[in-house]
Amino acid sequence: MKKILALTLSTFASVAIMTTTQAETLSFDRDTPGALPAGWRSGVTGRGSPKWAVEADASAPSKTNVLKQSGSGTFPWCVRPDVSLADGYVEVRFKPLSGREDQAGGVVWRWKDGDNYYVARANALENNVSLYYTEKGRRNTIKYVDAPVPGMMWHTLRVDFSGKKIRVTLDGKTYIESEDSHIAGPGAVGVWTKADSVTLFDDFGYGAAAR
């Protein structure tokens, strides 16, 4: 009886370990205003001078800080290089403030370097959600979908990814479900903008898929 009980407990423990996800949400509230968040790295795919920095913002969903991109570049990005996920999710709350060419907020995953990664973004000027893969510095479209993205408002963008499967959700509604295999294996996660977009980010979350 004791052996059976021990075996049963061991089995439950194994299942618990297999279904546990590694998840974290970052609010930037412990980071120093005027600098990058601790452990993050910023840059640009293409050319430009992006400016990423933590700032205090009264509208932040989780008070008091946000991560702001206020420079410009082809495709500015800011990532957590110490994170390595092959399958899982990444999400963020973002607020598009301004931009004549673009007003975009996005997330990246399976980021290998500044020229190779996946990105999903929502655009307040175009009112759409789109999914891309960036390979050798070139952004390639997988899918576009019309969606309401009012400017000067906070939105939640989330991507779930496993193998070839990718699901993109904006404000709780799924807009894109697709398959793609261009960028495989583990990579970093982060946030992304385009051109002259001035965008705020808060409550950045990510996690590994359950096994």
Side-chain angles (χ1 to χ4, degrees):
M1 184 66 180
K2 290 183 179 180
K3 289 183 178 181
I4 294 175
L5 180 59
L7 179 60
T8 301
L9 291 174
S10 177
T11 301
F12 277 125
S14 298
V15 171
I17 292 170
M18 291 172 63
T19 57
T20 298
T21 58
Q22 173 194 354
E24 185 174 9
T25 299
L26 307 171
S27 64
F28 310 114
D29 296 330
R30 296 183 179 180
D31 292 292
T32 304
L36 281 177
W40 289 65
R41 175 186 168 193
S42 66
V44 60
T45 304
R47 299 180 179 181
S49 300
K51 182 181 178 181
W52 294 91
V54 173
E55 289 190 7
D57 188 272
S59 73
S62 57
K63 309 296 185 201
T64 57
N65 291 347
V66 298
L67 175 61
K68 182 178 183 180
Q69 201 297 114
S70 57
S72 63
T74 311
F75 304 119
W77 47 260
C78 193
V79 301
R80 284 285 304 268
D82 60 327
V83 176
S84 184
L85 297 179
D87 301 313
Y89 76 90
V90 58
E91 67 180 359
V92 75
R93 300 195 72 177
F94 74 97
K95 181 180 181 179
L97 295 183
S98 64
R100 292 186 178 183
E101 185 178 343
D102 253 279
Q103 294 184 21
V107 291
V108 301
W109 66 101
R110 293 184 187 164
W111 186 94
K112 314 295 185 179
D113 54 43
D115 289 332
N116 299 276
Y117 53 85
Y118 278 113
V119 56
R121 70 101 175 101
N123 192 308
L125 283 185
E126 300 175 4
N127 278 310
N128 60 27
V129 174
S130 52
L131 172 63
Y132 310 92
Y133 71 92
T134 300
E135 194 169 48
K136 297 180 180 179
R138 180 180 178 181
R139 189 185 66 164
N140 302 274
T141 302
I142 299 173
K143 194 169 185 178
Y144 270 94
V145 177
D146 291 337
V149 191
M152 296 300 293
M153 292 181 60
W154 286 98
H155 303 277
T156 301
L157 181 66
R158 177 182 173 112
V159 177
D160 293 272
F161 50 98
S162 179
K164 298 180 181 180
K165 296 181 180 180
I166 302 171
R167 182 172 70 244
V168 183
T169 304
L170 177 69
D171 295 332
K173 181 178 178 179
T174 298
Y175 283 94
I176 296 176
E177 288 189 281
S178 188
E179 292 191 1
D180 188 84
S181 59
H182 284 90
I183 311 293
V189 293
V191 293
W192 178 101
T193 67
K194 180 186 174 186
D196 61 346
S197 301
V198 177
T199 309
L200 306 181
F201 297 90
D202 199 8
D203 296 335
F204 176 78
Y206 60 89
R211 296 182 178 180

